Amino acid sequence: MEIIETYKDGHLIDSKEVNTVSSPNISGFIAQMLQNRSYNQMILAKTEQSIKNRLEVAVVRLEMKSDISNEDWQFFKLLWDSVIDGNPDGLLTFDDLIEWKQIAEFNDMPWTLDDDFKIHFR
């Protein structure tokens, strides 16, 4: 929330609260995920490393764009969810989910994670 104040002749005549939309901090998100123990554990457990590589290339691509479209986010979701698919049971915990959700929220991602660690747009 941001407050916008309007003045006339040095006197406050109006004050409004407006919602501000933050831009996603993709660099911050991926930096925190790359330092996250459970994320690295998941990536190392993947037998199909090419999907992990595609996800990381997609992140770099998003970082370089000045305007990220819905299609860009849908493609990222497809890759993210593909990396999540096929994880061994018990590899990722509820605590990991909470931590990853906090990382996404802290970095203003336009999505959260569902109980299966897959992206769910807000």
Side-chain angles (χ1 to χ4, degrees):
M1 282 290 193
E2 183 178 342
I3 297 177
I4 297 179
E5 297 176 334
T6 305
Y7 290 87
K8 183 175 183 181
D9 298 327
H11 293 59
L12 177 66
I13 60 169
D14 191 27
S15 180
K16 293 181 186 176
E17 283 189 18
V18 294
N19 289 328
T20 55
V21 178
S22 299
S23 295
N25 181 0
I26 298 165
S27 296
F29 172 76
I30 198 60
Q32 286 181 286
M33 292 303 291
L34 289 173
Q35 295 174 38
N36 183 273
R37 176 203 51 78
S38 58
Y39 177 80
N40 283 302
Q41 187 177 22
M42 178 194 68
I43 292 299
L44 290 173
K46 298 304 288 177
T47 56
E48 181 57 51
Q49 288 293 306
S50 65
I51 192 67
K52 181 236 6 155
N53 294 340
R54 290 178 190 146
L55 176 65
E56 292 176 357
V57 167
V59 168
V60 171
R61 182 177 168 269
L62 289 176
E63 285 181 297
M64 296 175 65
K65 293 189 81 164
S66 60
D67 186 32
I68 302 171
S69 70
N70 287 336
E71 291 80 14
D72 295 325
W73 284 119
Q74 289 298 327
F75 183 66
F76 178 76
K77 175 186 177 6
L78 174 76
L79 292 173
W80 176 274
D81 291 353
S82 295
V83 169
I84 295 299
D85 282 339
N87 280 317
D89 289 338
L91 178 66
L92 299 174
T93 68
F94 182 73
D95 289 340
D96 296 329
L97 179 63
I98 297 301
E99 187 175 0
W100 291 14
K101 282 182 171 187
Q102 289 172 342
I103 291 170
E105 185 176 332
F106 179 79
N107 289 289
D108 296 316
M109 295 293 108
W111 44 264
T112 188
L113 299 173
D114 65 19
D115 291 344
D116 294 327
F117 290 81
K118 293 189 176 181
I119 289 177
H120 173 74
F121 290 98
R122 299 171 203 217

